[in-house]
Amino acid sequence: MKFNFLYPVVQKDIEAIEVELKQAVSNADAETTSASALHLLEAGGKRIRPMFVCLTARLGEPKDFSLVRDAAVAIELIHMASIVHDDVVDDAELRRGRQTIKAIWGNHIAMYTGDFLFAKSLEYMTKIDNIKAHQMLSAVTVELAVGEIEQIKDKFNFNQSVRSYLRRIKRKTALLIAASSGLGGILADLPDKMDDQLYLFGYYVGMAFQITDDILDFMATERVLGKPAGEDLRQGNITLPVFFAMRDPLLKKRISRVTEDSTDEEITHLVDAIKASGAIEESEQVATAYLKKAMAILDTFPSSKEIKPLKQIVKMLDKREY
Amino acid sequence: MKFNFLYPVVQKDIEAIEVELKQAVSNADAETTSASALHLLEAGGKRIRPMFVCLTARLGEPKDFSLVRDAAVAIELIHMASIVHDDVVDDAELRRGRQTIKAIWGNHIAMYTGDFLFAKSLEYMTKIDNIKAHQMLSAVTVELAVGEIEQIKDKFNFNQSVRSYLRRIKRKTALLIAASSGLGGILADLPDKMDDQLYLFGYYVGMAFQITDDILDFMATERVLGKPAGEDLRQGNITLPVFFAMRDPLLKKRISRVTEDSTDEEITHLVDAIKASGAIEESEQVATAYLKKAMAILDTFPSSKEIKPLKQIVKMLDKREY
């Protein structure tokens, strides 16, 4: 899903950020580091986080827009770092249809490539002389790591609460998108109250974004996902559709039998049963509810050519299929 | 090796930092994260990096010493993060005589515990409103990751240059110690020239520190090291003693045959041959030369009760045996 064609206002920013991202990971003194990081960069991505930084910043009048782009680059580098480490833990061979860093260079290089990307993000953040921005980003980064650890701990735990799932996706995904959106406001010197609203907007979008990802893991084909369907369940990651499906005691009994040794056939049968249970539709409703809350926040802002693309993104995220 | 008994001036700082480190990694909302991070913290360590931050800061008159301690905590957290990731790559079961995080919780939790510690270090750095401090630390952190990747790439490469070894230990170890020492100066508002000298002082100490570690890997017993001797060679990490030993063509031939499949007996024989070759003594001379350069920098500072403990540390590091 590419969003940027929608709004020329942000096209230039995104192009500048792509150039800067490439420069950030290029290091003549460290061939392997550069090669693995560039590989990931070239796999592309929605760049939704840098887009939010730029779009929310344009709601105000940032003194120096190049700093907004630096913040956008920093956030995308943090996101990229977390992706690389995710792929190690998920033992993922494919991401966006391309081989992962861990598949090509192995787990150890992948781990340090993540560290490198994370460290690089700091270099970009050092340019930004704003304590609130730094506090927001460091707090979110801590939660990101905690979320990943909790996810590992909760694997194959079929008696966890929906609350623990929501807290996990908040930490893993929603907070970084919240920070992307909040950061733009901060750098544009918007009033604190508006920054907080933009942060909350990003949080709602982020929750919907992850829930939709979790739905797509059941619904999409391997061709679209760039990875096999049902992968979350196979890994023991209990996501929202599974919680809804498990309200049926018989289905819960079957799902609870999933282990690391479950066969592809068993997983496929369960995926079909979960899809037939209505759990997907219920999960979609939750995602839509979050997006509605996000939209309600945007509605409190005066209409402008800057608010429009944000609204368009929210609309496109509703029931996205890829 | 505990240094702090030497100088009451720093005793109070180190105690405060220990308390703060414990607080930093405690997180009621994230049991597993806290438990693994606390486990590492309780294994102890020399705390040489925070000590350098505090001691060099005392060469000037920092406005707010609590910020110096925050920086010291941040640096130690970065060091701890790199240790946890190191142990994953080295597949290390023991560190300082205790089980490693990866041994108890596995590689995945260890990877994210490192991420968590690194992110936590940012939280402490955000308190410090000094762009030079941030730039120094982010640059060093990038080099740290690059150094680790280059080390993996150069494993079992017996034709690499000594220069690549020196560059690697600079990135892996010396620069963070340089930053520890430079940071104190920056936070104490010393003149830029003195900050640079303190950074260089830390760099020299760091180079000596790593070379000595690499020597100890050959010389110390398992009881003292808390891990088996000859481990670097077994892992394919070519360190300074090996370079000196490889100047003997016959020994080079034998060493070059080391692979991941070499037996304990083969490694033990090689360790003995390297020790008998004079390579250890030559390596010690290099470490001592670095420490002399470090001492020469301290000699340019006026004698004071603050400079004395730094000189004592340099003396203690020369030919340390543990």
Side-chain angles (χ1 to χ4, degrees):
Chain A
M1 187 184 292
K2 288 280 181 195
F3 296 102
N4 44 337
F5 69 92
L6 275 175
Y7 16 84
V9 60
V10 90
Q11 182 89 39
K12 210 180 56 180
D13 295 338
I14 295 298
E15 279 165 15
I17 286 165
E18 287 292 339
V19 171
E20 194 61 44
L21 279 170
K22 194 163 177 182
Q23 179 145 346
V25 304
S26 299
N27 187 334
D29 271 346
E31 272 179 50
T32 311
T33 317
S34 277
S36 65
L38 273 172
H39 174 82
L40 175 66
L41 187 62
E42 284 160 6
K46 302 179 193 74
R47 311 285 187 239
I48 192 172
R49 294 160 192 82
M51 223 181 307
F52 273 0
V53 178
C54 293
L55 282 171
T56 53
R58 288 193 184 283
L59 295 175
E61 283 171 11
K63 268 165 268 157
D64 179 356
F65 207 84
S66 74
L67 290 181
V68 175
R69 288 184 187 152
D70 286 333
V73 168
I75 287 222
E76 189 67 6
L77 287 170
I78 292 173
H79 172 59
M80 287 169 67
S82 82
I83 277 182
V84 185
H85 284 184
D86 269 9
D87 287 342
V88 171
V89 166
D90 295 346
D91 206 19
E93 295 292 318
L94 291 174
R95 152 98 48 189
R96 292 175 193 139
R98 277 169 74 108
Q99 277 196 291
T100 57
I101 292 180
K102 71 134 256 146
I104 302 176
W105 285 274
N107 284 336
H108 296 166
I109 298 265
M111 183 173 72
Y112 285 124
T113 301
D115 290 2
F116 167 75
L117 291 166
F118 192 29
K120 267 285 164 187
S121 80
L122 299 190
E123 280 198 351
Y124 281 84
M125 281 303 288
T126 57
K127 301 179 190 178
I128 293 154
D129 187 17
N130 184 312
I131 184 89
K132 203 178 157 190
H134 285 276
Q135 281 167 346
M136 181 182 280
L137 214 54
S138 62
V140 160
T141 314
V142 168
E143 292 300 309
L144 199 60
V146 170
E148 299 286 0
I149 291 173
E150 298 302 302
Q151 172 161 321
I152 294 173
K153 207 193 74 186
D154 283 340
K155 272 191 181 186
F156 297 106
N157 171 9
F158 296 96
N159 291 311
Q160 62 184 283
S161 64
V162 182
R163 197 172 151 266
S164 76
Y165 163 80
L166 293 173
R167 193 170 62 172
R168 201 161 61 230
I169 67 169
K170 171 182 169 183
R171 284 168 157 162
K172 249 189 57 183
T173 305
L175 289 183
L176 192 60
I177 297 184
S180 310
S181 176
L183 212 51
I186 290 172
L187 296 177
D189 274 330
L190 293 179
D192 280 358
K193 216 183 140 182
M194 278 170 89
D195 297 344
D196 295 347
Q197 284 296 300
L198 287 172
Y199 184 87
L200 196 59
F201 159 76
Y203 162 73
Y204 290 139
V205 169
M207 292 298 281
F209 194 84
Q210 185 59 53
I211 291 169
T212 306
D213 257 6
D214 293 344
I215 292 169
L216 288 174
D217 189 67
F218 286 94
M219 300 305 289
T221 60
E222 180 159 350
R223 197 185 57 78
V224 171
L225 281 180
K227 59 181 182 181
E231 191 59 20
D232 284 335
L233 188 57
R234 191 189 317 270
Q235 300 266 350
N237 290 332
I238 322 298
T239 58
L240 194 55
V242 182
F243 283 103
F244 282 126
M246 286 197 299
R247 285 190 308 196
D248 171 349
L250 281 177
L251 199 44
K252 174 163 184 178
K253 216 170 163 184
R254 284 177 59 197
I255 291 172
S256 303
R257 276 193 227 110
V258 172
T259 67
E260 279 168 6
D261 301 322
S262 295
T263 64
D264 285 359
E265 208 191 339
E266 284 164 339
I267 298 291
T268 305
H269 279 158
L270 277 176
V271 167
D272 289 343
I274 291 166
K275 280 156 79 169
S277 74
I280 300 296
E281 292 72 12
E282 286 183 280
S283 303
E284 282 173 349
Q285 282 165 20
V286 178
T288 300
Y290 276 116
L291 289 175
K292 267 194 187 142
K293 287 186 180 187
M295 194 63 102
I297 289 177
L298 293 183
D299 283 336
T300 65
F301 283 77
S303 181
S304 69
K305 77 173 195 302
E306 284 74 25
I307 207 83
K308 228 172 127 183
L310 285 169
K311 289 189 175 179
Q312 279 176 305
I313 292 180
V314 174
K315 274 183 207 149
M316 284 185 69
L317 286 175
D318 200 17
K319 295 183 186 149
R320 74 183 156 102
E321 284 171 2
Y322 49 98
Chain B
M1 186 186 289
K2 287 281 182 195
F3 298 102
N4 46 337
F5 69 91
L6 276 175
Y7 16 84
V9 61
V10 89
Q11 181 88 39
K12 211 181 57 183
D13 294 337
I14 294 298
E15 279 166 15
I17 287 165
E18 287 293 340
V19 170
E20 195 60 46
L21 279 169
K22 195 165 176 179
Q23 180 145 345
V25 304
S26 300
N27 188 333
D29 272 346
E31 270 178 53
T32 312
T33 317
S34 277
S36 65
L38 273 172
H39 174 83
L40 175 65
L41 187 62
E42 284 161 5
K46 302 180 193 74
R47 310 288 186 239
I48 191 170
R49 293 160 193 80
M51 223 179 311
F52 273 0
V53 178
C54 293
L55 281 172
T56 52
R58 287 193 186 281
L59 295 176
E61 283 172 12
K63 269 166 266 157
D64 180 356
F65 208 82
S66 76
L67 289 181
V68 175
R69 287 183 188 152
D70 286 333
V73 168
I75 287 222
E76 190 67 5
L77 288 169
I78 293 173
H79 171 59
M80 286 168 68
S82 81
I83 277 182
V84 184
H85 284 184
D86 269 7
D87 287 343
V88 171
V89 167
D90 295 345
D91 204 20
E93 295 291 318
L94 291 174
R95 153 96 51 186
R96 292 175 193 141
R98 276 169 74 109
Q99 276 197 290
T100 57
I101 292 181
K102 71 133 254 146
I104 301 176
W105 286 273
N107 283 337
H108 296 167
I109 298 263
M111 185 174 70
Y112 286 125
T113 302
D115 291 1
F116 167 75
L117 291 167
F118 192 29
K120 266 285 164 186
S121 80
L122 300 189
E123 281 199 351
Y124 281 83
M125 280 305 288
T126 57
K127 302 179 190 179
I128 293 155
D129 187 17
N130 183 312
I131 184 88
K132 201 177 158 190
H134 286 276
Q135 281 168 344
M136 181 183 279
L137 215 53
S138 62
V140 160
T141 314
V142 168
E143 292 298 310
L144 199 60
V146 170
E148 299 286 1
I149 291 173
E150 297 303 302
Q151 171 161 322
I152 294 172
K153 208 194 71 186
D154 283 340
K155 272 189 182 189
F156 297 107
N157 170 7
F158 296 97
N159 291 312
Q160 63 184 282
S161 64
V162 181
R163 194 171 153 269
S164 75
Y165 163 80
L166 292 173
R167 193 170 64 171
R168 200 160 63 229
I169 67 169
K170 172 182 168 181
R171 284 168 156 162
K172 249 189 58 181
T173 306
L175 290 183
L176 191 60
I177 298 184
S180 310
S181 177
L183 212 51
I186 290 172
L187 296 176
D189 273 331
L190 293 179
D192 280 359
K193 215 183 141 183
M194 276 168 92
D195 297 346
D196 295 346
Q197 284 296 299
L198 287 171
Y199 184 87
L200 196 59
F201 159 76
Y203 162 73
Y204 289 140
V205 169
M207 293 298 280
F209 195 82
Q210 186 58 54
I211 291 169
T212 306
D213 258 7
D214 293 345
I215 292 169
L216 287 174
D217 190 66
F218 285 95
M219 300 305 288
T221 60
E222 180 160 352
R223 195 184 58 78
V224 171
L225 281 179
K227 59 180 180 180
E231 193 57 21
D232 285 333
L233 188 58
R234 192 188 318 270
Q235 300 265 349
N237 291 331
I238 322 296
T239 58
L240 194 55
V242 181
F243 283 104
F244 281 126
M246 285 197 299
R247 287 192 306 197
D248 171 348
L250 283 176
L251 199 45
K252 175 164 184 178
K253 215 168 164 185
R254 284 177 61 196
I255 292 172
S256 301
R257 275 192 228 112
V258 171
T259 68
E260 279 169 5
D261 302 322
S262 295
T263 64
D264 285 359
E265 207 191 340
E266 285 165 339
I267 298 290
T268 306
H269 279 158
L270 277 177
V271 167
D272 289 342
I274 290 165
K275 280 156 81 168
S277 74
I280 300 297
E281 291 73 14
E282 284 183 281
S283 302
E284 281 174 349
Q285 282 166 18
V286 177
T288 300
Y290 275 115
L291 289 176
K292 266 193 189 143
K293 286 185 178 185
M295 194 63 102
I297 288 177
L298 293 183
D299 284 336
T300 65
F301 283 77
S303 181
S304 70
K305 77 174 193 305
E306 284 73 25
I307 206 84
K308 228 172 125 183
L310 285 169
K311 290 190 176 181
Q312 279 177 307
I313 292 180
V314 175
K315 273 183 207 150
M316 283 183 69
L317 286 175
D318 199 19
K319 295 184 185 147
R320 74 184 156 103
E321 284 170 3
Y322 49 97

